Amino acid sequence: MFGYAGKILRVDLTSGTYKVEALNLDLAKKYIGGRGLASKIFFDEVDPNVEPFSPENKLIIATGPLSGTPVPTGGRYVVVTKSPLTGAIACSNSGGYFGAELKAAGYDMIILEGKSDKPVYITIEDDKVEIKEAGHLWGKLVSETTDELKKEHGEKVRVLCIGPAGEKLSRIAAVINDYDRAAGRSGVGAVMGSKNVKAIVVRGTKGVKLYDEEKVKDVVAAKIKMLRENGVTGQGLPTYGTAVLVNIINEHGIFPVANFQRAYTENADEISGETMTRDILVRKNPCYRCPIACGRWVRLKDGREVGGPEYETLWAFGADCDVYDINAVAEANFWCNEYGLDTISTGTTIAAAMELYEKGYVKDEEIKDDGYSLKFGDAEAIVGWTKKIGAREGFGDKMAEGSYRLCEAYGVPELSMSVKKQELPAYDPRGVQGHGLEYATSNRGGCHVRGYMISPEILGAPQKIDRFSLEGKAEWVKVFQDLTAVIDSLGLCLFTSFALGAPDYAELMNVVCGTDFTPETILEAGSRIWTLERLFNLKAGIDPSEDKLPKRLLQDPIPEGPSKGHVHRLSELLPKYYEVRGWDEKGYPTEETLKKLEIQ
Amino acid sequence: MIKVKLFATFREGRQKEVYFDYFEGIDGKYILDKLDIKEEDVAIYLVNGMDGKLENPLNDGDTISLFPPVGGG
């Protein structure tokens, strides 16, 4: 077996036992691996109506066939489960080194099922697997947990864990690996917490077998060259990290300010990649075998050196809270990593709370004991509330449920800037029509990395298209969503797609695994994965009426800046999208489409 | 007056913002030439936040934003 490790580790937490199963290679190739294969197994094994925190929900941690190989960026893994935030199938994705290490230990994926009656952690050293008592780790922050486990099991192990937010079932809790890399979205950390699993420690020495070692060497060298010569992956991302986007998005007038009440600010440069590089950057913080190295390592005000904020984080705690203090944002980011919180959902939930306060729904009385204000622009407050959310203290307990449930509790769910109850990221869709369609149709709820339309609509990759036009957008979104499903399933980083396309991914898969994918068949696998996720959500009761955007973005024109006057025109885009997907006009996949994609 | 905002590596050795006196026919090509920036190094050229063409004449009061190739998030 090439590329794939060929084994699945299934852990039954209820009985405290595990077994190792053989990978079904035919099924693996049909769904590629990673996101695709984990979703297929989840679909087959879990009732879509399962309560996310019940023992019957499962949590799958999966690598792809290219994880742990010499293919650049092959360090990624995904977490698939039913999300407690959205009720949809969740697939959160992370970099760092854990994924590659798990593969080297000989496993394509770990399936966690049942529920332990006490806190445990799992150790994997190649073939040796143990479930250990974790009482001494429960309640500890991510860095404390990781340090302790490295002390117990050796400096070389890789650690994936949850922080207090996951333990306390915050619906915006993340799974964190390697101290500061996050499978952030959809509350996957809370599902791990609900199973009483604090951490997974892994050490692998087996490596991955390659189908054609000589060819892999040549093809990998060629792809690295393409990544280095591309302006985005060779220059923009390495120099400034993802934070380089702050000024770009703001200059286009699609940088949401104060919970999407505005979309442009004169102060963006204060929280930009340029400012981060000048003022707080220590060095780059790259993931496994990555020539891009967009990760940052920064110095906090008190001198501590920690993982730095991404673009989304700079926006969520920055402009979305109307805060332009890069030190405060870097600190809030740090506490998200320590408590195990998703930075997008945490920052934007604080922003939503600030609007609830501004509009008089939340009264001073409710927050007076917490010691922090909910005024837009309060830099100290974003740090304070992050810690309160992580610990579920005071008003932070309400915010730990995410912005939708928070706003709903005050009778104004429309103030939550979310889709399928998951908070939207850092691009106002009123000024990027394709990207808005992507938000509305994303299978995991509000999300930018299921089909990153900013690439063609703003950055001009692979070609520039008119951001306000509706023409061709449905087709673009479908291709981007399908290609992204492929990349997430291979175990590679989405950022490679600025330089590589479907032919490159098919070629990499084939030389590593000995498969015979073409650009067409690999994209079809992406479409199969997308449609399967859709089916799960439909069965889970998330009907197509949930393919929507917050009312504000459909009805209120952007009030100022370069995209002034625009709203999102979703209703004009959706019918075409359903059509190009081969779904009926109501948004359900047709029998013919399911047959063509060989789903049922 | 034309305001030019420079971002990312374009700031190296230059100011963040540069101003040009308006004259009839002034365009993006003239501005790039004066700033010693090569056309092929410009990935995004915005005039008042909208995609512009370097050869189109500018209006008095326009704001230009210039970006080299940049990344995603």
Coordinates of all heavy atoms in Angstrom, one line a residue, chain A residues 349-409:
Chain A
T349 N -18.0 36.7 18.2 CA -19.1 36.6 19.2 C -18.9 37.8 20.2 O -20.0 38.4 20.6 CB -19.0 35.3 20.0 OG1 -19.2 34.2 19.1 CG2 -20.0 35.2 21.1
I350 N -17.7 38.2 20.5 CA -17.5 39.4 21.3 C -18.1 40.6 20.5 O -18.8 41.5 21.0 CB -16.0 39.6 21.6 CG1 -15.5 38.5 22.5 CG2 -15.8 41.0 22.3 CD1 -14.0 38.5 22.8
A351 N -17.8 40.7 19.2 CA -18.3 41.8 18.3 C -19.9 41.8 18.4 O -20.5 42.9 18.5 CB -17.9 41.6 16.9
A352 N -20.5 40.6 18.3 CA -22.0 40.5 18.4 C -22.5 41.0 19.7 O -23.5 41.8 19.8 CB -22.4 39.1 18.1
A353 N -21.7 40.6 20.8 CA -22.1 41.1 22.1 C -22.0 42.6 22.2 O -22.8 43.2 22.9 CB -21.2 40.4 23.2
M354 N -21.0 43.1 21.6 CA -20.8 44.6 21.6 C -22.0 45.3 20.9 O -22.5 46.3 21.4 CB -19.5 45.0 21.0 CG -18.3 44.7 21.9 SD -16.7 45.0 21.0 CE -15.6 44.9 22.4
E355 N -22.5 44.7 19.8 CA -23.6 45.3 19.2 C -24.9 45.1 20.0 O -25.7 46.0 20.1 CB -23.9 44.7 17.8 CG -24.9 45.5 17.0 CD -25.1 45.2 15.6 OE1 -24.4 44.4 15.0 OE2 -26.1 45.8 15.0
L356 N -25.0 44.0 20.7 CA -26.2 43.8 21.6 C -26.1 44.9 22.7 O -27.2 45.4 23.1 CB -26.1 42.4 22.2 CG -26.5 41.2 21.4 CD1 -26.2 39.9 22.2 CD2 -27.9 41.2 21.0
Y357 N -24.9 45.2 23.2 CA -24.8 46.2 24.2 C -25.1 47.6 23.6 O -25.9 48.4 24.2 CB -23.4 46.2 24.8 CG -23.1 47.2 25.8 CD1 -23.6 47.0 27.1 CD2 -22.5 48.4 25.5 CE1 -23.3 48.0 28.1 CE2 -22.2 49.4 26.4 CZ -22.7 49.2 27.7 OH -22.5 50.2 28.7
E358 N -24.5 47.9 22.5 CA -24.7 49.2 21.8 C -26.2 49.4 21.6 O -26.7 50.6 21.7 CB -24.0 49.2 20.5 CG -24.0 50.5 19.7 CD -23.2 50.3 18.4 OE1 -23.7 49.6 17.5 OE2 -22.1 50.8 18.3
K359 N -27.0 48.4 21.2 CA -28.4 48.6 20.9 C -29.3 48.4 22.1 O -30.5 48.4 22.0 CB -28.8 47.6 19.8 CG -28.1 47.8 18.5 CD -28.9 47.4 17.3 CE -28.6 48.0 16.0 NZ -27.2 48.3 15.7
G360 N -28.6 48.2 23.3 CA -29.4 48.2 24.5 C -30.0 46.8 25.0 O -30.8 46.8 25.9
Y361 N -29.7 45.8 24.2 CA -30.2 44.5 24.6 C -29.5 43.9 25.9 O -30.1 43.3 26.8 CB -30.1 43.5 23.5 CG -31.0 43.8 22.3 CD1 -30.4 44.4 21.1 CD2 -32.3 43.6 22.4 CE1 -31.2 44.7 20.1 CE2 -33.1 44.0 21.3 CZ -32.6 44.5 20.1 OH -33.4 44.9 19.1
V362 N -28.2 44.1 25.9 CA -27.4 43.7 27.1 C -27.2 45.0 27.9 O -26.8 46.0 27.4 CB -26.0 43.1 26.7 CG1 -25.2 42.9 28.0 CG2 -26.2 41.9 25.9
K363 N -27.6 44.8 29.2 CA -27.5 46.0 30.1 C -26.2 46.0 30.9 O -25.7 44.9 31.2 CB -28.7 46.0 31.1 CG -30.0 45.7 30.4 CD -30.7 47.1 29.9 CE -32.1 46.8 29.4 NZ -32.3 47.4 28.0
D364 N -25.8 47.1 31.4 CA -24.6 47.2 32.3 C -24.7 46.3 33.5 O -23.7 45.7 33.9 CB -24.5 48.7 32.8 CG -23.9 49.6 31.7 OD1 -23.0 49.2 31.0 OD2 -24.4 50.7 31.6
E365 N -25.9 46.2 34.0 CA -26.2 45.3 35.2 C -25.6 43.9 35.0 O -25.1 43.3 35.9 CB -27.7 45.3 35.3 CG -28.3 44.5 36.5 CD -27.8 45.1 37.8 OE1 -27.5 46.3 37.9 OE2 -27.9 44.4 38.8
E366 N -25.8 43.4 33.7 CA -25.5 42.0 33.4 C -24.0 41.8 33.4 O -23.5 40.6 33.6 CB -26.0 41.6 32.1 CG -27.4 41.1 32.1 CD -27.8 40.7 30.7 OE1 -28.3 41.6 29.9 OE2 -27.7 39.5 30.3
I367 N -23.2 42.8 33.2 CA -21.8 42.6 33.0 C -20.9 43.3 34.1 O -19.7 43.3 34.0 CB -21.3 43.0 31.6 CG1 -21.7 44.5 31.3 CG2 -21.8 42.1 30.5 CD1 -21.1 45.0 30.0
K368 N -21.6 43.9 35.0 CA -20.9 44.8 36.0 C -19.9 44.0 36.8 O -18.9 44.5 37.2 CB -21.8 45.6 36.8 CG -22.6 44.8 37.9 CD -23.4 45.8 38.7 CE -24.3 45.3 39.8 NZ -24.4 43.9 40.1
D369 N -20.2 42.7 37.1 CA -19.2 41.9 37.9 C -18.1 41.4 37.2 O -17.1 40.8 37.7 CB -20.0 40.8 38.6 CG -21.0 41.3 39.6 OD1 -20.8 42.4 40.1 OD2 -22.0 40.6 39.9
D370 N -18.1 41.4 35.8 CA -17.1 40.8 35.0 C -15.8 41.7 34.9 O -14.8 41.3 34.6 CB -17.6 40.5 33.6 CG -18.5 39.3 33.6 OD1 -18.1 38.3 34.3 OD2 -19.6 39.3 33.0
G371 N -16.0 43.0 35.1 CA -14.9 43.9 35.0 C -14.5 44.4 33.6 O -13.4 45.0 33.5
Y372 N -15.2 44.0 32.6 CA -14.9 44.5 31.3 C -16.1 45.1 30.6 O -17.2 44.6 30.8 CB -14.4 43.3 30.4 CG -13.1 42.6 31.0 CD1 -13.2 41.4 31.6 CD2 -11.9 43.3 30.9 CE1 -12.1 40.9 32.2 CE2 -10.8 42.8 31.4 CZ -10.8 41.5 32.1 OH -9.7 41.0 32.6
S373 N -15.8 46.0 29.7 CA -16.9 46.7 29.0 C -17.3 45.9 27.8 O -16.5 45.0 27.3 CB -16.5 48.1 28.6 OG -16.0 48.2 27.4
L374 N -18.4 46.2 27.2 CA -18.8 45.7 25.9 C -18.9 46.8 24.9 O -19.7 46.8 24.0 CB -20.1 44.9 26.0 CG -20.0 43.4 26.4 CD1 -21.3 42.8 26.6 CD2 -19.1 42.6 25.5
K375 N -18.0 47.8 25.0 CA -18.0 48.9 24.1 C -17.1 48.6 22.9 O -16.0 48.2 23.1 CB -17.5 50.2 24.8 CG -18.5 50.7 25.8 CD -18.1 52.1 26.3 CE -19.2 52.5 27.3 NZ -18.5 53.0 28.6
F376 N -17.7 48.8 21.7 CA -16.8 48.7 20.5 C -15.6 49.6 20.7 O -15.6 50.7 21.3 CB -17.6 49.2 19.3 CG -18.5 48.2 18.7 CD1 -19.9 48.4 18.6 CD2 -18.0 47.0 18.2 CE1 -20.7 47.5 18.0 CE2 -18.8 46.1 17.6 CZ -20.2 46.3 17.5
G377 N -14.4 49.0 20.4 CA -13.2 49.8 20.4 C -12.4 49.5 21.7 O -11.3 50.1 21.8
D378 N -12.9 48.8 22.7 CA -12.2 48.6 23.9 C -11.2 47.4 23.8 O -11.5 46.2 23.8 CB -13.2 48.3 25.0 CG -12.6 48.2 26.4 OD1 -11.3 48.0 26.5 OD2 -13.3 48.4 27.4
A379 N -9.9 47.8 23.7 CA -8.9 46.8 23.4 C -8.7 45.9 24.6 O -8.4 44.7 24.5 CB -7.5 47.5 23.1
E380 N -8.7 46.4 25.8 CA -8.6 45.6 27.0 C -9.7 44.6 27.1 O -9.5 43.4 27.6 CB -8.6 46.5 28.3 CG -8.1 45.9 29.5 CD -8.5 46.7 30.8 OE1 -9.0 47.9 30.6 OE2 -8.4 46.2 31.9
A381 N -10.9 45.0 26.7 CA -12.0 44.1 26.8 C -11.9 42.8 26.0 O -12.3 41.8 26.4 CB -13.3 44.8 26.5
I382 N -11.3 43.0 24.8 CA -11.3 41.8 23.9 C -10.4 40.7 24.5 O -10.7 39.5 24.4 CB -10.8 42.1 22.4 CG1 -9.4 42.7 22.4 CG2 -11.8 43.0 21.7 CD1 -8.8 42.7 21.0
V383 N -9.4 41.1 25.2 CA -8.5 40.1 25.9 C -9.2 39.5 27.1 O -9.3 38.3 27.3 CB -7.2 40.8 26.4 CG1 -6.3 39.8 27.1 CG2 -6.4 41.4 25.2
G384 N -9.9 40.4 27.9 CA -10.6 40.0 29.1 C -11.7 39.0 28.8 O -11.9 38.0 29.4
W385 N -12.5 39.4 27.8 CA -13.7 38.5 27.4 C -13.2 37.2 26.9 O -13.9 36.1 27.1 CB -14.6 39.2 26.4 CG -15.4 40.3 27.1 CD1 -15.4 41.6 26.7 CD2 -16.4 40.1 28.2 NE1 -16.3 42.3 27.5 CE2 -16.9 41.4 28.4 CE3 -16.8 39.0 28.9 CZ2 -17.9 41.6 29.4 CZ3 -17.7 39.2 29.9 CH2 -18.3 40.5 30.2
T386 N -12.1 37.2 26.2 CA -11.6 35.9 25.6 C -11.3 34.9 26.8 O -11.7 33.7 26.8 CB -10.3 36.1 24.8 OG1 -10.6 37.0 23.7 CG2 -9.7 34.8 24.3
K387 N -10.7 35.4 27.9 CA -10.4 34.6 29.0 C -11.7 34.1 29.7 O -11.8 33.0 30.1 CB -9.5 35.3 30.0 CG -8.0 35.4 29.4 CD -7.1 35.9 30.5 CE -6.8 37.4 30.4 NZ -5.7 37.8 31.3
K388 N -12.6 35.1 29.8 CA -13.9 34.7 30.4 C -14.7 33.7 29.6 O -15.4 32.8 30.2 CB -14.8 36.0 30.5 CG -14.2 37.0 31.5 CD -15.0 37.0 32.8 CE -14.3 38.0 33.7 NZ -14.8 37.8 35.1
I389 N -14.6 33.8 28.3 CA -15.3 32.8 27.4 C -14.6 31.4 27.6 O -15.3 30.4 27.8 CB -15.2 33.2 25.9 CG1 -16.1 34.4 25.7 CG2 -15.7 32.0 25.0 CD1 -15.9 35.1 24.3
G390 N -13.3 31.4 27.6 CA -12.5 30.2 27.8 C -12.8 29.5 29.1 O -12.9 28.2 29.2
A391 N -13.0 30.3 30.1 CA -13.3 29.7 31.5 C -14.8 29.6 31.7 O -15.2 29.1 32.8 CB -12.6 30.6 32.5
R392 N -15.6 30.1 30.8 CA -17.1 30.1 31.0 C -17.5 30.8 32.3 O -18.3 30.4 33.1 CB -17.7 28.7 31.0 CG -17.7 28.1 29.6 CD -18.7 27.0 29.5 NE -20.0 27.5 29.0 CZ -20.7 26.9 28.0 NH1 -20.2 25.9 27.3 NH2 -21.8 27.4 27.6
E393 N -16.8 32.0 32.5 CA -17.1 32.8 33.7 C -18.0 33.9 33.4 O -17.9 34.6 32.3 CB -15.8 33.4 34.3 CG -15.0 32.3 35.0 CD -13.6 32.9 35.4 OE1 -13.4 34.2 35.2 OE2 -12.8 32.1 35.8
G394 N -18.9 34.3 34.3 CA -19.8 35.4 34.1 C -20.5 35.5 32.8 O -21.0 34.5 32.4
F395 N -20.5 36.6 32.2 CA -21.2 36.8 30.9 C -20.5 36.0 29.8 O -21.0 35.6 28.8 CB -21.2 38.3 30.5 CG -22.1 38.6 29.4 CD1 -23.5 38.5 29.5 CD2 -21.6 38.9 28.1 CE1 -24.4 38.8 28.5 CE2 -22.5 39.2 27.0 CZ -23.9 39.1 27.2
G396 N -19.2 35.6 30.0 CA -18.4 34.8 29.1 C -19.1 33.4 28.9 O -19.0 32.8 27.9
D397 N -19.8 33.0 29.9 CA -20.5 31.7 29.8 C -21.6 31.7 28.7 O -21.7 30.8 27.9 CB -21.2 31.4 31.2 CG -21.9 30.0 31.2 OD1 -21.2 29.1 30.7 OD2 -23.0 29.9 31.7
K398 N -22.3 32.8 28.6 CA -23.3 33.0 27.5 C -22.6 33.1 26.2 O -23.0 32.5 25.2 CB -24.1 34.2 27.7 CG -25.1 34.1 28.8 CD -26.1 35.3 28.8 CE -27.1 35.2 29.9 NZ -27.9 36.4 30.1
M399 N -21.4 33.8 26.1 CA -20.7 34.0 24.9 C -20.1 32.7 24.4 O -19.9 32.5 23.2 CB -19.7 35.1 25.0 CG -20.3 36.5 25.1 SD -19.0 37.7 24.7 CE -18.5 38.2 26.3
A400 N -19.8 31.8 25.3 CA -19.2 30.5 24.9 C -20.1 29.6 24.1 O -19.6 28.6 23.5 CB -18.8 29.7 26.2
E401 N -21.4 30.0 24.0 CA -22.3 29.3 23.1 C -22.2 29.7 21.7 O -22.9 29.2 20.8 CB -23.7 29.5 23.7 CG -24.0 28.8 25.0 CD -24.0 27.3 24.9 OE1 -25.0 26.8 24.3 OE2 -23.1 26.6 25.4
G402 N -21.4 30.8 21.4 CA -21.4 31.3 20.0 C -22.4 32.4 19.8 O -23.3 32.6 20.6
S403 N -22.2 33.2 18.8 CA -23.0 34.4 18.6 C -24.4 34.2 18.3 O -25.3 34.9 18.7 CB -22.4 35.3 17.5 OG -22.6 34.7 16.2
Y404 N -24.7 33.1 17.6 CA -26.1 32.8 17.2 C -27.0 32.6 18.5 O -28.0 33.2 18.7 CB -26.3 31.7 16.3 CG -27.7 31.5 15.8 CD1 -28.2 32.2 14.7 CD2 -28.6 30.7 16.5 CE1 -29.5 32.1 14.3 CE2 -29.9 30.6 16.1 CZ -30.4 31.3 15.0 OH -31.7 31.2 14.6
R405 N -26.5 31.7 19.3 CA -27.3 31.4 20.6 C -27.3 32.6 21.5 O -28.3 32.8 22.2 CB -26.7 30.1 21.2 CG -27.1 28.9 20.5 CD -26.3 27.6 21.0 NE -26.7 26.4 20.3 CZ -26.2 26.1 19.1 NH1 -25.3 26.8 18.5 NH2 -26.6 24.9 18.5
L406 N -26.2 33.3 21.5 CA -26.2 34.6 22.3 C -27.3 35.5 21.9 O -28.1 36.0 22.6 CB -24.8 35.2 22.2 CG -24.7 36.5 23.0 CD1 -24.7 36.3 24.5 CD2 -23.4 37.2 22.6
C407 N -27.3 35.9 20.6 CA -28.2 36.8 20.0 C -29.7 36.3 20.1 O -30.6 37.1 20.4 CB -27.9 37.2 18.6 SG -26.3 38.1 18.5
E408 N -29.8 35.0 19.9 CA -31.2 34.4 20.0 C -31.7 34.6 21.4 O -32.9 34.8 21.6 CB -31.1 33.0 19.6 CG -32.4 32.3 19.3 CD -32.2 30.8 19.0 OE1 -31.3 30.2 19.7 OE2 -33.0 30.3 18.2
A409 N -30.9 34.5 22.4 CA -31.3 34.6 23.8 C -31.9 36.0 24.1 O -32.7 36.2 25.0 CB -30.2 34.3 24.7

